[in-house]
Amino acid sequence: MALKIRPAREDDIDRIFEVETLSFKEPYPKGLLYIYLKLTPELFLVIEKNGKVIGYTIGLLKPSKLGHIVSLAIDPKERRKGYGTLLLKKLLEKFKELGVCKVRLEVRVSNRPAINLYSKHGFKIAYIIKRFYLNGEDAYVMVKDLNEG
Ligand SMILES: CC(C)(COP(=O)(O)OP(=O)(O)OC[C@H]1O[C@@H](n2cnc3c(N)ncnc32)[C@H](O)[C@@H]1OP(=O)(O)O)[C@@H](O)C(=O)NCCC(=O)NCCS
C-alpha cells in the first residue's frame, strides 16, 4: 500500500469536493476550495492511497502567526485507519515551519470523532460560538499552543 501526503493541485479539486460532500452537512462550494488553494497552497494538503486522494486538510496563516485549520476530512470508507491523524500531524509540522505559535479551529459541538482527534493532539476547547453553523448548531473553538509540543 502506497501512502503519500502532498500539496493539493487544481486537478484534485473535483475529488476533494467529493470527499467534502460525503463528509459535511454544509459542504464548502467548489469555488471556495479553489480560493483556499490559491490563498495558501502550501497549507492545502491531500493524502493519497495507491494514487487516489482519500482525504484533505486546509490550513490558513492569519496575522500574528496564528494558524487556522479550515477543514480536515477523510473519505468515509477510509476512516478510523489513522489517516486523519497523519494529515493533522503534517499540517501542524507545516505550521511550525512557518513560525506559527498557536493553531485554532471551529468544530461542531456534536462532532465527537473530530473533537476526540483534536484533543488527542493537544487541542483544548477554549470557548463556544453560539449558532456558528447555518443549521443553528454551536461550535467549539479549539486551540493548540505549538510551543507546548
Ligand atoms: C474527523 C476525521 C477527519 C477523523 O479521521 P480518521 O482518519 O477517521 O481519524 P483517525 O483514524 O486518525 O482517528 C484518530 C482519533 O480520532 C478519534 N476518532 C476518529 N473517529 C472517531 C469516531 N468515529 N468516534 C470517536 N472517536 C473517533 C479517536 O480518538 C481516534 O483515535 P483511535 O482510533 O486511537 O481511537 C473523520 O472522521 C472525518 O472526515 N469526519 C468528517 C469531517 C469532519 O468532521 N472533519 C472535522 C472538521 S472540524
mmCIF file of all heavy atoms in Angstrom, residues 81-109:
data_model
loop_
_atom_site.group_PDB
_atom_site.id
_atom_site.type_symbol
_atom_site.label_atom_id
_atom_site.label_comp_id
_atom_site.label_asym_id
_atom_site.label_seq_id
_atom_site.Cartn_x
_atom_site.Cartn_y
_atom_site.Cartn_z
ATOM 1 N N LYS A 81 -8.560 4.676 10.280
ATOM 2 C CA LYS A 81 -7.353 3.911 9.935
ATOM 3 C C LYS A 81 -6.093 4.753 10.179
ATOM 4 O O LYS A 81 -5.024 4.418 9.676
ATOM 5 C CB LYS A 81 -7.408 3.500 8.462
ATOM 6 C CG LYS A 81 -8.585 2.598 8.098
ATOM 7 C CD LYS A 81 -8.594 2.299 6.601
ATOM 8 C CE LYS A 81 -9.837 1.499 6.216
ATOM 9 N NZ LYS A 81 -9.936 1.312 4.750
ATOM 10 N N GLY A 82 -6.282 5.891 10.848
ATOM 11 C CA GLY A 82 -5.117 6.717 11.186
ATOM 12 C C GLY A 82 -4.774 7.783 10.156
ATOM 13 O O GLY A 82 -3.829 8.553 10.348
ATOM 14 N N TYR A 83 -5.558 7.884 9.075
ATOM 15 C CA TYR A 83 -5.187 8.835 8.015
ATOM 16 C C TYR A 83 -5.453 10.288 8.433
ATOM 17 O O TYR A 83 -4.688 11.189 8.082
ATOM 18 C CB TYR A 83 -5.925 8.508 6.709
ATOM 19 C CG TYR A 83 -5.639 7.119 6.194
ATOM 20 C CD1 TYR A 83 -6.646 6.319 5.672
ATOM 21 C CD2 TYR A 83 -4.344 6.605 6.248
ATOM 22 C CE1 TYR A 83 -6.380 5.033 5.214
ATOM 23 C CE2 TYR A 83 -4.069 5.321 5.797
ATOM 24 C CZ TYR A 83 -5.094 4.539 5.283
ATOM 25 O OH TYR A 83 -4.832 3.272 4.839
ATOM 26 N N GLY A 84 -6.542 10.507 9.189
ATOM 27 C CA GLY A 84 -6.815 11.857 9.690
ATOM 28 C C GLY A 84 -5.667 12.321 10.582
ATOM 29 O O GLY A 84 -5.212 13.468 10.492
ATOM 30 N N THR A 85 -5.180 11.416 11.410
ATOM 31 C CA THR A 85 -4.047 11.725 12.291
ATOM 32 C C THR A 85 -2.816 12.109 11.473
ATOM 33 O O THR A 85 -2.141 13.089 11.778
ATOM 34 C CB THR A 85 -3.717 10.482 13.162
ATOM 35 O OG1 THR A 85 -4.865 10.201 13.960
ATOM 36 C CG2 THR A 85 -2.518 10.706 14.038
ATOM 37 N N LEU A 86 -2.537 11.340 10.419
ATOM 38 C CA LEU A 86 -1.357 11.629 9.592
ATOM 39 C C LEU A 86 -1.448 13.025 8.976
ATOM 40 O O LEU A 86 -0.474 13.780 8.971
ATOM 41 C CB LEU A 86 -1.218 10.595 8.463
ATOM 42 C CG LEU A 86 -0.821 9.178 8.862
ATOM 43 C CD1 LEU A 86 -0.795 8.267 7.633
ATOM 44 C CD2 LEU A 86 0.554 9.178 9.537
ATOM 45 N N LEU A 87 -2.639 13.347 8.451
ATOM 46 C CA LEU A 87 -2.811 14.666 7.816
ATOM 47 C C LEU A 87 -2.672 15.790 8.840
ATOM 48 O O LEU A 87 -2.012 16.799 8.570
ATOM 49 C CB LEU A 87 -4.203 14.756 7.192
ATOM 50 C CG LEU A 87 -4.338 14.500 5.702
ATOM 51 C CD1 LEU A 87 -5.781 14.705 5.283
ATOM 52 C CD2 LEU A 87 -3.422 15.379 4.856
ATOM 53 N N LEU A 88 -3.310 15.593 10.004
ATOM 54 C CA LEU A 88 -3.249 16.633 11.035
ATOM 55 C C LEU A 88 -1.798 16.861 11.469
ATOM 56 O O LEU A 88 -1.342 18.001 11.580
ATOM 57 C CB LEU A 88 -4.116 16.219 12.232
ATOM 58 C CG LEU A 88 -4.113 17.185 13.412
ATOM 59 C CD1 LEU A 88 -4.645 18.571 13.017
ATOM 60 C CD2 LEU A 88 -4.945 16.629 14.582
ATOM 61 N N LYS A 89 -1.064 15.766 11.674
ATOM 62 C CA LYS A 89 0.337 15.905 12.108
ATOM 63 C C LYS A 89 1.150 16.669 11.071
ATOM 64 O O LYS A 89 1.969 17.511 11.398
ATOM 65 C CB LYS A 89 0.969 14.522 12.313
ATOM 66 C CG LYS A 89 0.626 13.895 13.634
ATOM 67 C CD LYS A 89 1.445 12.649 13.799
ATOM 68 C CE LYS A 89 1.382 12.113 15.199
ATOM 69 N NZ LYS A 89 1.947 10.763 15.296
ATOM 70 N N LYS A 90 0.932 16.343 9.795
ATOM 71 C CA LYS A 90 1.684 17.003 8.721
ATOM 72 C C LYS A 90 1.351 18.489 8.668
ATOM 73 O O LYS A 90 2.235 19.337 8.522
ATOM 74 C CB LYS A 90 1.369 16.313 7.383
ATOM 75 C CG LYS A 90 2.079 16.879 6.195
ATOM 76 C CD LYS A 90 3.585 16.859 6.313
ATOM 77 C CE LYS A 90 4.165 15.537 5.856
ATOM 78 N NZ LYS A 90 5.619 15.494 5.917
ATOM 79 N N LEU A 91 0.056 18.818 8.824
ATOM 80 C CA LEU A 91 -0.323 20.234 8.784
ATOM 81 C C LEU A 91 0.308 20.982 9.973
ATOM 82 O O LEU A 91 0.808 22.100 9.809
ATOM 83 C CB LEU A 91 -1.852 20.373 8.797
ATOM 84 C CG LEU A 91 -2.377 21.813 8.724
ATOM 85 C CD1 LEU A 91 -1.916 22.526 7.451
ATOM 86 C CD2 LEU A 91 -3.902 21.834 8.801
ATOM 87 N N LEU A 92 0.328 20.349 11.139
ATOM 88 C CA LEU A 92 0.927 21.012 12.308
ATOM 89 C C LEU A 92 2.428 21.222 12.095
ATOM 90 O O LEU A 92 2.984 22.255 12.469
ATOM 91 C CB LEU A 92 0.654 20.199 13.586
ATOM 92 C CG LEU A 92 -0.825 20.129 14.020
ATOM 93 C CD1 LEU A 92 -0.989 19.235 15.244
ATOM 94 C CD2 LEU A 92 -1.398 21.521 14.309
ATOM 95 N N GLU A 93 3.074 20.253 11.449
ATOM 96 C CA GLU A 93 4.503 20.420 11.109
ATOM 97 C C GLU A 93 4.703 21.620 10.201
ATOM 98 O O GLU A 93 5.624 22.413 10.385
ATOM 99 C CB GLU A 93 4.995 19.196 10.309
ATOM 100 C CG GLU A 93 5.635 18.113 11.108
ATOM 101 C CD GLU A 93 5.918 16.893 10.211
ATOM 102 O OE1 GLU A 93 6.283 17.062 9.033
ATOM 103 O OE2 GLU A 93 5.709 15.768 10.711
ATOM 104 N N LYS A 94 3.846 21.742 9.180
ATOM 105 C CA LYS A 94 3.949 22.865 8.223
ATOM 106 C C LYS A 94 3.766 24.191 8.955
ATOM 107 O O LYS A 94 4.485 25.148 8.701
ATOM 108 C CB LYS A 94 2.879 22.759 7.126
ATOM 109 C CG LYS A 94 3.027 21.560 6.250
ATOM 110 C CD LYS A 94 3.766 21.927 4.979
ATOM 111 C CE LYS A 94 4.034 20.687 4.167
ATOM 112 N NZ LYS A 94 5.038 20.880 3.125
ATOM 113 N N PHE A 95 2.773 24.228 9.864
ATOM 114 C CA PHE A 95 2.552 25.457 10.622
ATOM 115 C C PHE A 95 3.826 25.808 11.412
ATOM 116 O O PHE A 95 4.249 26.954 11.436
ATOM 117 C CB PHE A 95 1.384 25.279 11.602
ATOM 118 C CG PHE A 95 0.009 25.509 11.006
ATOM 119 C CD1 PHE A 95 -1.040 24.653 11.298
ATOM 120 C CD2 PHE A 95 -0.243 26.598 10.179
ATOM 121 C CE1 PHE A 95 -2.318 24.875 10.781
ATOM 122 C CE2 PHE A 95 -1.515 26.829 9.659
ATOM 123 C CZ PHE A 95 -2.554 25.964 9.957
ATOM 124 N N LYS A 96 4.426 24.800 12.027
ATOM 125 C CA LYS A 96 5.628 25.047 12.837
ATOM 126 C C LYS A 96 6.744 25.618 11.973
ATOM 127 O O LYS A 96 7.420 26.566 12.349
ATOM 128 C CB LYS A 96 6.088 23.746 13.509
ATOM 129 C CG LYS A 96 5.864 23.776 14.990
ATOM 130 C CD LYS A 96 6.543 22.645 15.724
ATOM 131 C CE LYS A 96 6.628 23.049 17.180
ATOM 132 N NZ LYS A 96 6.958 21.985 18.081
ATOM 133 N N GLU A 97 6.919 25.031 10.774
ATOM 134 C CA GLU A 97 7.959 25.517 9.857
ATOM 135 C C GLU A 97 7.734 26.988 9.506
ATOM 136 O O GLU A 97 8.678 27.716 9.234
ATOM 137 C CB GLU A 97 7.937 24.708 8.551
ATOM 138 C CG GLU A 97 8.547 23.322 8.671
ATOM 139 C CD GLU A 97 8.184 22.439 7.477
ATOM 140 O OE1 GLU A 97 7.822 22.973 6.397
ATOM 141 O OE2 GLU A 97 8.254 21.208 7.631
ATOM 142 N N LEU A 98 6.464 27.407 9.493
ATOM 143 C CA LEU A 98 6.145 28.797 9.141
ATOM 144 C C LEU A 98 6.187 29.719 10.366
ATOM 145 O O LEU A 98 5.833 30.890 10.281
ATOM 146 C CB LEU A 98 4.749 28.862 8.496
ATOM 147 C CG LEU A 98 4.631 28.195 7.121
ATOM 148 C CD1 LEU A 98 3.169 28.061 6.702
ATOM 149 C CD2 LEU A 98 5.402 28.980 6.064
ATOM 150 N N GLY A 99 6.581 29.177 11.515
ATOM 151 C CA GLY A 99 6.730 30.003 12.716
ATOM 152 C C GLY A 99 5.442 30.247 13.475
ATOM 153 O O GLY A 99 5.357 31.154 14.308
ATOM 154 N N VAL A 100 4.420 29.424 13.177
ATOM 155 C CA VAL A 100 3.136 29.593 13.863
ATOM 156 C C VAL A 100 3.268 29.172 15.333
ATOM 157 O O VAL A 100 3.900 28.160 15.639
ATOM 158 C CB VAL A 100 2.053 28.738 13.157
ATOM 159 C CG1 VAL A 100 0.801 28.599 14.009
ATOM 160 C CG2 VAL A 100 1.704 29.342 11.793
ATOM 161 N N CYS A 101 2.692 29.972 16.236
ATOM 162 C CA CYS A 101 2.759 29.658 17.676
ATOM 163 C C CYS A 101 1.468 28.990 18.143
ATOM 164 O O CYS A 101 1.477 28.158 19.036
ATOM 165 C CB CYS A 101 2.950 30.919 18.505
ATOM 166 S SG CYS A 101 4.330 31.890 17.964
ATOM 167 N N LYS A 102 0.351 29.423 17.565
ATOM 168 C CA LYS A 102 -0.942 28.969 18.066
ATOM 169 C C LYS A 102 -1.817 28.565 16.884
ATOM 170 O O LYS A 102 -1.817 29.248 15.854
ATOM 171 C CB LYS A 102 -1.600 30.136 18.811
ATOM 172 C CG LYS A 102 -2.546 29.717 19.879
ATOM 173 C CD LYS A 102 -3.091 30.926 20.596
ATOM 174 C CE LYS A 102 -2.830 30.801 22.083
ATOM 175 N NZ LYS A 102 -3.505 31.823 22.851
ATOM 176 N N VAL A 103 -2.548 27.457 17.038
ATOM 177 C CA VAL A 103 -3.441 26.998 15.974
ATOM 178 C C VAL A 103 -4.850 26.924 16.533
ATOM 179 O O VAL A 103 -5.047 26.450 17.664
ATOM 180 C CB VAL A 103 -3.024 25.596 15.463
ATOM 181 C CG1 VAL A 103 -3.962 25.122 14.356
ATOM 182 C CG2 VAL A 103 -1.591 25.607 14.946
ATOM 183 N N ARG A 104 -5.827 27.385 15.756
ATOM 184 C CA ARG A 104 -7.219 27.295 16.221
ATOM 185 C C ARG A 104 -8.115 26.689 15.151
ATOM 186 O O ARG A 104 -7.732 26.606 13.966
ATOM 187 C CB ARG A 104 -7.764 28.646 16.679
ATOM 188 C CG ARG A 104 -7.917 29.678 15.596
ATOM 189 C CD ARG A 104 -8.783 30.850 16.069
ATOM 190 N NE ARG A 104 -10.178 30.630 15.743
ATOM 191 C CZ ARG A 104 -11.182 31.341 16.259
ATOM 192 N NH1 ARG A 104 -10.941 32.286 17.137
ATOM 193 N NH2 ARG A 104 -12.425 31.104 15.902
ATOM 194 N N LEU A 105 -9.261 26.275 15.559
ATOM 195 C CA LEU A 105 -10.241 25.710 14.627
ATOM 196 C C LEU A 105 -11.617 25.784 15.275
ATOM 197 O O LEU A 105 -11.737 25.957 16.499
ATOM 198 C CB LEU A 105 -9.883 24.257 14.294
ATOM 199 C CG LEU A 105 -9.778 23.295 15.472
ATOM 200 C CD1 LEU A 105 -11.102 22.619 15.778
ATOM 201 C CD2 LEU A 105 -8.731 22.240 15.202
ATOM 202 N N GLU A 106 -12.643 25.638 14.446
ATOM 203 C CA GLU A 106 -14.010 25.517 14.957
ATOM 204 C C GLU A 106 -14.513 24.126 14.624
ATOM 205 O O GLU A 106 -14.216 23.597 13.551
ATOM 206 C CB GLU A 106 -14.963 26.530 14.309
ATOM 207 C CG GLU A 106 -14.657 27.979 14.628
ATOM 208 C CD GLU A 106 -13.673 28.592 13.654
ATOM 209 O OE1 GLU A 106 -13.567 28.077 12.514
ATOM 210 O OE2 GLU A 106 -13.003 29.580 14.017
ATOM 211 N N VAL A 107 -15.275 23.559 15.535
ATOM 212 C CA VAL A 107 -15.821 22.222 15.305
ATOM 213 C C VAL A 107 -17.227 22.162 15.914
ATOM 214 O O VAL A 107 -17.484 22.766 16.956
ATOM 215 C CB VAL A 107 -14.864 21.139 15.892
ATOM 216 C CG1 VAL A 107 -14.624 21.322 17.380
ATOM 217 C CG2 VAL A 107 -15.357 19.740 15.605
ATOM 218 N N ARG A 108 -18.132 21.458 15.216
ATOM 219 C CA ARG A 108 -19.497 21.309 15.748
ATOM 220 C C ARG A 108 -19.437 20.637 17.115
ATOM 221 O O ARG A 108 -18.689 19.653 17.286
ATOM 222 C CB ARG A 108 -20.331 20.406 14.823
ATOM 223 C CG ARG A 108 -20.779 21.083 13.567
ATOM 224 C CD ARG A 108 -21.574 20.116 12.680
ATOM 225 N NE ARG A 108 -21.803 20.755 11.410
ATOM 226 C CZ ARG A 108 -22.858 21.524 11.136
ATOM 227 N NH1 ARG A 108 -23.811 21.681 12.027
ATOM 228 N NH2 ARG A 108 -22.974 22.107 9.967
ATOM 229 N N VAL A 109 -20.263 21.119 18.033
ATOM 230 C CA VAL A 109 -20.239 20.536 19.382
ATOM 231 C C VAL A 109 -20.657 19.058 19.364
ATOM 232 O O VAL A 109 -20.325 18.307 20.276
ATOM 233 C CB VAL A 109 -21.116 21.336 20.382
ATOM 234 C CG1 VAL A 109 -20.572 22.743 20.585
ATOM 235 C CG2 VAL A 109 -22.570 21.383 19.941
#
